[in-house]
Amino acid sequence: MFAFFIRRVTQAVFVMLVISLIGFTIKQSVGDPLREITGISVSAAERDALREKLGLNDPFLLQWGRFLARALQGDLGNSFYFKRPALQVILGKAPATLELVFSTSLLVVLLSIPIGIYAAVRPRAWLARFFMGVSIVGVSIPVFLTAILLIYVFSVGLGWLPSFGRGELVTLFGGWQSGYFTSDGLKHLILPSIALSSIMLPLFIRLIRAEMKEVLETDYIKYARAKGLKPGRVLLVHGFKNTLLPVITVGGVQLGTLIAFTILTETVFQWQGMGAMFIEAVDRADTSLIVAYLVFVGALFVTVNTVVDLVYGLVNPMIRIAGRR
Amino acid sequence: MQGWRGFRKSYFVYSFLRDPMAMGSFLCLAILVMVSFGAPLIAPHDPYDSSTIDIMDSEMPPLWLDQSDARFLLGTDSQGRDMLSTMLYGMRVSILIGLGAVALQAFMGIFVGLVAGYRGGRFDAFLMRLADVQLSFSTYMVAIFFGALFQAAFGMGRYEQLAVPLLVIIIGFAEWPQYARTVRASVLAEKKKEYVEAARVIGLSPGRIMWRHILPNTLTPVLVISTVQVANAIMSEAALSFIGLGMPVTRPSLGSLIKAGFDYIFSGSWWITLFPGVALVVLILSINLLGDWLRDFLNPKLYKA
Amino acid sequence: MKRLLLVLLAAALLAGPALAGAKTLRLAIDADPVSLDPHVQLSGGMLQYSHMVFDPLVRWTQAMDFEPRLAERWERLDPLTLRFFLRKGVKFHSGNPFTAKDVVWTLERLKRSPDFKGLFEPFGPAVAVDDYTVDIITTKPYGLTLNMCTYIFPMDSVFYSGTDEKGLPKDAIVKTEHSFANEHASGTGRYFVESREQGQKWVFKAFADYWDKNTGNVDTIVLTPISEDATRLAALLAGDVDFIMPVPPQDFDRIEKTKGVQLITMPGSRIITFQPNQKRRAEFKDARVRQAMVYAVNNAGIVQKIMKERATAAAQNSPRGYVGFVEDLQPRFDLERAKALMKAAGYEKGFTVSMIAPNNRYVNDEKIAEAVVSMLSKINIKVELKTMPKAQFWDEFDAQVADIQMIGWHADTEDSANYFEFLYMCPNKETGYGQYNSGNYCNPRVDELTLASQSETDPAKRAAMLQEVERILYDEAAFIPLHWQMLSWAGSDKLKNAREIVNIMDFPYFGNLVME
């Protein structure tokens, strides 16, 4: 186990190195940060002097080397826009995204498991087909349109829910700003979570249904049924448990994607998380923040995938990744 | 051989005909594909010919409302383009991007996933970390980077003609790790099973074992992902046009039309938002419902009585 | 007990009106100011902020007159010197008194700021005559001294002197890192910043010792940046915010039809143009081709359909009210004439050109570019259009990658010469003139007149010079003019005098806002 972790940590460092290298090679394509931090009538010479001062004129390898040297001390550079260390900015925005992703995941789990199982057991029932069809509607509308439609109906039209932002926040230990502990904060969570889960639901419903259908055809389910076990128990304990492996795999990838790239949902709801921060950084060509963010996300993906790999081992004893060799 | 094929065909047709949902969605999809690829013949206007577009025709409502124009059945958009024609052309673009990108993703992802899962060890670790690197660079960064490369290679002017293949490459490239990780996970579960051991014992080559023996058994999640992923690829293109990196404005896809609709959501010109949205929902719905049925039909592990 | 009750009652009565007068304005802007340091960047957002937390020496009124603020009055001593008599008894937020020293200090700092030093290039150091009299001196005769004084927001020189806890000078102007001034502010303005989470939420509180007693009744302003147009509007319609800026034109109708909200628009001074590049394309060297393009572009149609009448179709750079404005230069859409000109130039068959435009910089920029593409195709000029986010656009613009490029321009000096200096003078790397002249239009007469106008202090002569330039640019079709964007704001009906606090520079004077 220990060796496994050491290996993964080394790999994570490798991933972050590669990402920073690629990040540095492509950051010019994002745009010129000087354009964003100076007024339009500033002379080209003045702008160039500033660029020189920020070290942006140096050869690419020198810039990268400087970044690495600082990164060793935990400094991923300074955001041009926020005028603060990039890592500090990212960590400040992380709670918003994590809370949104958590509520979304909860919603997805609570809806997709019963619907998926139901659709597998009664594939031809009209209700099952209705759910299958409706869930597709969510994924056929771009999430930015879903989001604005939700705002249109529930905030502008009915006036039930707030239209933007996170509402009233409570600061927990370590500066974590949470919206989970005020009714206002919870109200603000509802629409974004629905919008975000609308794009995840059809995938999981389909996955659970397809896997469940396969499992239900297996001999051990038939045996369990023949033995007279309660149908509910057969479905959940014998059936559903065995669909978990693919669900966890896909879920792992999707979870990582969600945390990193809830970009459009956050943008439309003006949800101050990492996704909105990233797209704004791209907008402002805040290249140092972009690179720091990419490195951060790389580490995040390695972590999530490591956890997923570990969970495989628990769910399916046939796979032994941890501690092998 | 002929007889077996005939049987299979007839069974396929039989079970297809027995399922009205499958039939309906197939019909729907067939019509959409036909009208969109036949757009140059069917569409009343050519939205790609900018000399026929007049700004003074903009935002006309559909035919059955006041102030409409007989030339424009479903009204016009903010540029004065015929909605119907633009949607037909746009659907063609969206279908091409959706299928193209998924084919590319699936090809890359399945290949990497199979090899990583089967070979295991360092090779596996390397490929999976490569996938992590790729995932970290979301579609947006890939789009920005490839866009810059493209411009350096072809210059500014060619973008209009080459945008579709470029977007296929961008979206295909950005999302292959989805497939890779899923296939790898299934391979890990499969490769310890007896049939793989047996195949190995009789001396089959690893390539053959991977493609002919393991792959078919990993297809359930792959197929699920694929049908949903077509929708996702079309959405990715819409999302790229949301931040201004998608199809050129003069060659809109269904996704970029919806993005234009986003701007008009509060404006009162509802047809600009609604029609492309409905078209996209119908398209994706029929792809997925057909996919649901096809998946059940093709799955060797299910009894089809 | 009774006495206590009486005291309480009296207290309640006294406190009553004060409480009733306390109003909170919830404000949503597309982007929040980037810093607390007014000199760190010259941008609309920073100037809006400056007008809240600081006061300028003089400011523009809605009718474009000068209104005395920290300067009570002024007089011209000689062609180089303008003497300002400062308001007495003004306090900074820190409690320090405001004196002439602060003006001298602020002007010196402006001349160090990378963003402002260009504007203050003609200025020498200011001289404090006594505590409440200061001379602003230019190095050569300059016609726009008073205009520039709208940019002098005196800062608290005592507050910003010395070093901070990190040992860095407090007056340093730092764009990308920590600095004292980026995070602390002390001005004389109506509001001070109570709390600030950048990109998320700002809370402004009214300053109790504010010198101007003739203010509105808003004592708290909560500023939230909302970057998506649709979300910003939804927030207003849902009643979650009270005032939004800007408003996209396609939503104007909706706001006007909705009860409880008001739309405010005003002609702006940002001109939107296309520049045909004469260096890249030989065809554009021929004035007839350029004229043909101007005749082919139905800019009134764009204004009507895309801008929903909330823009003014243009034929010149200077909007009405600017000294260079020429009444008889009118939009000249005439397709037949355009075709005839193309034929005369020998390009009847047309040609293919490339075009770039941003897609998130100007109001409806992408849609405008698209419309121009189809208009030019009617005279057989086939345009390959590429639009891109503004972050990537400016690099491409500077590199002049396309044959026709879009640019919008607003004169920071609120004066016609500024357009010519940046957009139409012969490009010159040394002097910096023609920095945004991607058309490479070059006419020595334009250069000569523009330069001469800089040191001309006789308003009539100056106007004649600038009007002649507009006429030359018009006749030679140096650029394809589209329109001046209108400025737009929307707010709840609770804002009683919202119409009066806005102005053409887009610096709403929230200090004067009255809420119900």
Side-chain angles (χ1 to χ4, degrees):
Chain A
M1 201 62 187
F2 182 68
F4 171 75
F5 270 116
I6 291 294
R7 224 167 27 236
R8 275 301 165 95
V9 169
T10 336
Q11 287 175 6
V13 170
F14 164 76
V15 163
M16 287 153 81
L17 262 178
V18 173
I19 288 177
S20 68
L21 181 63
I22 300 177
F24 266 83
T25 32
I26 70 176
K27 72 174 186 179
Q28 269 79 15
S29 320
V30 175
D32 181 0
L34 268 302
R35 274 287 171 187
E36 280 301 310
I37 56 175
T38 53
I40 188 161
S41 47
V42 170
S43 72
E46 191 68 47
R47 205 169 276 138
D48 218 49
L50 270 169
R51 191 176 294 121
E52 185 69 41
K53 215 168 115 193
L54 288 173
L56 294 172
N57 277 344
D58 294 342
F60 146 77
L61 274 178
L62 181 63
Q63 287 191 45
W64 187 50
R66 207 160 38 206
F67 172 82
L68 288 186
R70 287 204 195 133
L72 281 180
Q73 296 152 26
D75 173 10
L76 293 182
N78 232 3
S79 158
F80 297 141
Y81 169 75
F82 288 97
K83 304 173 177 51
R84 280 191 290 143
L87 193 62
Q88 194 188 327
V89 174
I90 294 169
L91 291 177
K93 301 273 182 188
T97 301
L98 290 178
E99 290 192 351
L100 177 60
V101 167
F102 181 74
S103 346
T104 304
S105 314
L106 202 68
L107 213 57
V108 170
V109 167
L110 287 181
L111 287 173
S112 66
I113 292 177
I115 296 178
I117 294 178
Y118 176 70
V121 178
R122 299 255 179 284
R124 284 169 166 273
W126 67 268
L127 193 62
R129 293 197 146 167
F130 173 76
F131 281 136
M132 297 284 287
V134 165
S135 70
I136 282 297
V137 175
V139 84
S140 351
I141 305 177
V143 67
F144 56 82
L145 195 64
T146 316
I148 199 73
L149 285 173
L150 286 172
I151 294 177
Y152 198 177
V153 174
F154 292 100
S155 311
V156 178
L158 298 169
W160 291 351
L161 293 166
S163 51
F164 74 93
R166 294 184 68 199
E168 201 185 327
L169 302 177
V170 176
T171 305
L172 305 181
F173 52 89
W176 179 292
Q177 290 194 311
S178 173
Y180 279 162
F181 299 95
T182 60
S183 67
D184 190 46
L186 289 173
K187 261 193 205 161
H188 280 80
L189 260 167
I190 298 175
L191 292 183
S193 310
I194 293 177
L196 198 52
S197 56
S198 77
I199 49 174
M200 289 290 144
L201 265 181
L203 178 64
F204 283 94
I205 292 180
R206 273 170 177 65
L207 201 62
I208 292 172
R209 169 181 170 274
E211 294 291 336
M212 195 70 188
K213 261 186 123 172
E214 267 183 26
V215 171
L216 290 180
E217 303 278 353
T218 54
D219 294 335
Y220 63 83
I221 293 288
K222 287 180 184 154
Y223 176 70
R225 279 197 177 133
K227 226 169 80 177
L229 294 180
K230 281 197 194 119
R233 194 180 151 75
V234 173
L235 279 181
L236 286 179
V237 177
H238 297 83
F240 180 65
K241 209 180 124 192
N242 284 294
T243 67
L244 278 178
L245 189 62
V247 174
I248 289 170
T249 318
V250 176
V253 181
Q254 298 293 349
L255 188 71
T257 320
L258 267 187
I259 295 175
F261 306 118
T262 51
I263 293 175
L264 296 185
T265 316
E266 289 191 1
T267 306
V268 176
F269 284 103
Q270 197 61 35
W271 190 267
Q272 280 300 323
M274 297 190 293
M277 180 209 77
F278 171 66
I279 204 69
E280 279 172 9
V282 171
D283 242 19
R284 299 186 182 112
D286 194 344
T287 45
S288 53
L289 183 59
I290 295 174
V291 172
Y293 175 76
L294 291 174
V295 169
F296 180 81
V297 164
L300 191 86
F301 273 116
V302 177
T303 315
V304 170
N305 288 332
T306 303
V307 172
V308 169
D309 282 350
L310 285 176
V311 175
Y312 284 166
L314 295 179
V315 175
N316 188 342
M318 276 170 72
I319 302 170
R320 276 273 164 260
I321 296 176
R324 191 157 46 112
R325 265 174 301 170
Chain B
M1 204 58 194
Q2 199 66 41
W4 184 81
R5 223 179 250 166
F7 162 73
R8 192 182 156 187
K9 209 173 170 186
S10 70
Y11 177 66
F12 183 84
V13 172
Y14 169 75
S15 92
F16 178 72
L17 289 179
R18 266 195 45 188
D19 195 325
M21 195 84 128
M23 261 169 58
S25 47
F26 176 75
L27 209 66
C28 214
L29 187 62
I31 292 173
L32 289 180
V33 170
M34 264 179 343
V35 293
S36 58
F37 281 84
L41 301 172
I42 302 169
H45 299 263
D46 180 0
Y48 290 176
D49 179 4
S50 49
S51 62
T52 63
I53 301 165
D54 191 342
I55 188 77
M56 302 316 283
D57 293 336
S58 72
E59 289 186 54
M60 294 215 176
L63 207 53
W64 56 90
L65 294 178
D66 286 350
Q67 293 167 353
S68 59
D69 187 308
R71 287 174 298 161
F72 309 114
L73 179 63
L74 296 181
T76 59
D77 71 357
S78 60
Q79 291 291 328
R81 269 184 304 228
D82 177 43
M83 279 307 284
L84 178 64
S85 316
T86 315
M87 277 161 56
L88 291 178
Y89 276 80
M91 187 157 353
R92 186 173 66 168
V93 172
S94 286
I95 292 174
L96 281 175
I97 289 179
L99 295 181
V102 167
L104 185 60
Q105 287 169 17
F107 175 75
M108 290 173 70
I110 290 175
F111 183 77
V112 171
L114 270 181
V115 174
Y118 190 74
R119 295 280 293 274
R122 267 178 204 206
F123 211 69
D124 175 34
F126 175 74
L127 287 175
M128 284 305 106
R129 296 297 81 80
L130 203 64
D132 288 340
V133 171
Q134 177 67 65
L135 276 176
S136 310
F137 289 91
S138 60
T139 321
Y140 304 95
M141 289 307 288
V142 176
I144 290 171
F145 182 57
F146 274 81
L149 279 188
F150 174 87
Q151 198 176 306
F154 296 101
M156 195 58 78
R158 300 288 299 282
Y159 188 70
E160 267 184 15
Q161 285 100 45
L162 295 176
V164 173
L166 181 69
L167 284 166
V168 164
I169 292 174
I170 289 169
I171 298 169
F173 215 82
E175 290 173 30
W176 63 264
Q178 297 254 9
Y179 279 94
R181 291 204 60 89
T182 314
V183 171
R184 169 181 169 271
S186 306
V187 172
L188 287 180
E190 292 292 325
K191 77 173 181 185
K192 292 278 148 137
K193 289 192 178 161
E194 292 87 349
Y195 73 95
V196 179
E197 295 290 337
R200 210 175 280 150
V201 167
I202 58 172
L204 293 182
S205 73
R208 196 176 160 82
I209 297 176
M210 278 190 263
W211 281 102
R212 300 297 295 276
H213 297 263
I214 298 180
L215 183 62
N217 282 302
T218 64
L219 279 185
T220 308
V222 167
L223 282 173
V224 175
I225 293 179
S226 295
T227 45
V228 177
Q229 202 64 19
V230 173
N232 268 339
I234 294 175
M235 287 307 118
S236 291
E237 192 273 323
L240 286 178
S241 38
F242 186 80
I243 55 168
L245 296 168
M247 284 296 288
V249 274
T250 46
R251 298 270 190 282
S253 70
L254 222 41
S256 31
L257 282 177
I258 289 178
K259 150 67 184 132
F262 176 83
D263 293 339
Y264 280 79
I265 189 118
F266 291 108
S267 71
S269 302
W270 51 267
W271 57 93
I272 298 180
T273 318
L274 184 74
F275 292 142
V278 169
L280 192 59
V281 169
V282 172
L283 173 70
I284 288 175
L285 199 61
S286 45
I287 291 178
N288 274 277
L289 291 180
L290 197 64
D292 287 347
W293 171 80
L294 198 65
R295 195 161 53 230
D296 288 353
F297 177 79
L298 290 179
N299 193 336
K301 291 181 188 164
L302 294 183
Y303 296 107
K304 291 169 282 271
Chain C
M1 191 63 199
K2 249 185 198 163
R3 238 162 107 188
L4 185 67
L5 268 178
L6 269 176
V7 170
L8 278 177
L9 193 66
L13 279 175
L14 280 174
L19 278 177
K23 296 289 176 191
T24 298
L25 174 75
R26 293 161 305 164
L27 178 67
I29 311 188
D30 54 349
D32 58 340
V34 297
S35 164
L36 290 185
D37 182 350
H39 295 167
V40 95
Q41 191 160 344
L42 174 53
S43 65
M46 281 312 292
L47 290 167
Q48 283 162 8
Y49 156 80
S50 301
H51 277 283
M52 291 162 83
V53 175
F54 298 83
D55 275 305
L57 289 179
V58 294
R59 74 180 184 189
W60 296 101
T61 62
Q62 203 173 48
M64 296 304 279
D65 298 323
F66 294 105
E67 179 187 355
R69 296 301 288 172
L70 291 183
E72 276 182 314
R73 60 196 173 84
W74 51 90
E75 61 186 43
R76 184 160 279 290
L77 297 187
D78 60 59
L80 299 179
T81 314
L82 203 56
R83 173 162 292 178
F84 285 88
F85 300 94
L86 304 176
R87 199 172 292 279
K88 296 183 177 113
V90 175
K91 275 204 166 70
F92 285 107
H93 299 155
S94 62
N96 297 329
F98 160 70
T99 67
K101 271 199 257 43
D102 299 306
V103 178
V104 174
W105 188 89
T106 303
L107 185 62
E108 183 272 325
R109 192 166 187 264
L110 277 167
K111 285 179 72 65
R112 272 192 287 134
S113 156
D115 279 52
F116 286 89
K117 67 162 62 144
L119 284 176
F120 284 91
E121 163 71 31
F123 288 73
V127 176
V129 178
D130 60 44
D131 266 3
Y132 298 101
T133 314
V134 65
D135 286 347
I136 303 275
I137 302 163
T138 53
T139 48
K140 57 180 182 182
Y142 188 54
L144 300 173
T145 308
L146 213 47
N147 296 32
M148 298 321 301
C149 288
T150 61
Y151 285 104
I152 303 179
F153 295 87
M155 295 168 76
D156 188 343
S157 60
V158 177
F159 179 79
Y160 289 103
S161 293
T163 55
D164 63 5
E165 69 271 22
K166 292 191 184 172
L168 303 166
K170 286 184 176 176
D171 66 342
I173 302 172
V174 183
K175 275 180 177 290
T176 59
E177 273 172 76
H178 154 88
S179 81
F180 178 79
N182 274 337
E183 285 147 40
H184 303 83
S186 171
T188 60
R190 166 92 161 110
Y191 300 99
F192 64 93
V193 179
E194 189 196 49
S195 70
R196 157 179 181 258
E197 281 166 80
Q198 201 175 358
Q200 202 160 333
K201 189 180 174 188
W202 294 55
V203 179
F204 296 89
K205 285 277 182 200
F207 174 43
D209 291 335
Y210 190 51
W211 59 270
D212 191 352
K213 297 303 167 201
N214 181 25
T215 61
N217 64 350
V218 175
D219 72 344
T220 308
I221 297 178
V222 179
L223 184 161
T224 320
I226 301 184
S227 53
E228 274 315 313
D229 287 339
T231 312
R232 206 178 323 123
L233 178 62
L236 176 70
L237 295 179
D240 292 338
V241 297
D242 305 309
F243 194 76
I244 60 171
M245 53 198 221
V247 187
Q250 57 268 22
D251 296 327
F252 287 165
D253 280 352
R254 165 78 191 220
I255 296 173
E256 286 190 326
K257 276 185 208 147
T258 308
K259 276 202 187 116
V261 291
Q262 53 182 329
L263 175 72
I264 303 158
T265 56
M266 211 180 174
S269 59
R270 188 186 296 284
I271 179 87
I272 306 294
T273 68
F274 280 99
Q275 298 179 333
N277 192 332
Q278 304 180 23
K279 258 202 188 136
R280 281 180 65 96
R281 300 299 296 233
E283 294 93 329
F284 294 154
K285 283 208 176 87
D286 190 331
R288 286 169 299 185
V289 174
R290 301 198 302 268
Q291 284 159 354
M293 291 196 286
V294 175
Y295 278 108
V297 170
N298 179 5
N299 54 1
I302 291 179
V303 166
Q304 186 191 338
K305 292 294 186 173
I306 295 178
M307 305 303 286
K308 306 284 178 202
E309 305 285 2
R310 263 41 170 243
T312 316
Q316 55 189 320
N317 296 283
S318 313
R320 187 180 295 277
Y322 276 41
V323 288
F325 178 76
V326 184
E327 184 68 46
D328 54 323
L329 300 184
Q330 289 300 323
R332 35 183 165 166
F333 168 57
D334 183 343
L335 200 52
E336 292 316 310
R337 184 81 189 272
K339 282 179 183 159
L341 280 163
M342 286 292 278
K343 195 170 176 187
Y347 295 109
E348 201 181 357
K349 295 249 171 64
F351 45 87
T352 301
V353 296
S354 55
M355 174 192 276
I356 56 169
N359 56 21
N360 59 356
R361 178 63 190 85
Y362 310 114
V363 178
N364 283 338
D365 38 16
E366 191 175 39
K367 296 195 183 82
I368 294 165
E370 204 184 341
V372 169
V373 168
S374 54
M375 288 168 181
L376 289 180
S377 73
K378 297 200 170 71
I379 55 168
N380 292 326
I381 299 180
K382 195 183 170 317
V383 183
E384 286 163 339
L385 169 67
K386 173 97 171 29
T387 58
M388 60 192 88
K390 65 174 190 287
Q392 287 139 58
F393 177 75
W394 292 115
D395 273 353
E396 309 289 357
F397 184 94
D398 285 346
Q400 303 186 0
V401 294
D403 304 330
I404 303 179
Q405 305 191 144
M406 181 191 258
I407 184 163
W409 197 261
H410 158 83
D412 284 329
T413 51
E414 309 298 332
D415 178 74
S416 301
N418 186 271
Y419 295 104
F420 312 145
E421 286 163 13
F422 282 95
L423 301 180
Y424 307 108
M425 279 177 69
C426 306
N428 184 334
K429 287 248 155 57
E430 304 275 293
T431 58
Y433 287 122
Q435 194 183 348
Y436 291 92
N437 182 357
S438 81
N440 290 299
Y441 171 84
C442 184
N443 181 339
R445 179 75 184 146
V446 169
D447 282 30
E448 189 192 320
L449 285 167
T450 311
L451 291 176
S453 79
Q454 289 178 346
S455 48
E456 180 57 68
T457 45
D458 176 355
K461 277 192 198 153
R462 202 164 170 274
M465 289 172 176
L466 295 172
Q467 287 175 5
E468 188 184 339
V469 176
E470 283 291 11
R471 222 173 262 285
I472 294 172
L473 298 176
Y474 178 91
D475 291 339
E476 297 197 328
F479 64 107
I480 306 173
L482 289 167
H483 51 252
W484 295 283
Q485 275 178 203
M486 268 198 181
L487 298 164
S488 56
W489 307 267
S492 122
D493 280 345
K494 281 190 291 183
L495 312 180
K496 284 289 141 202
N497 61 345
R499 259 163 231 287
E500 288 142 41
I501 62 156
V502 299
N503 50 51
I504 195 172
M505 276 79 49
D506 199 7
F507 311 146
Y509 300 143
F510 291 110
N512 296 56
L513 186 64
V514 178
M515 270 180 100
E516 204 167 77

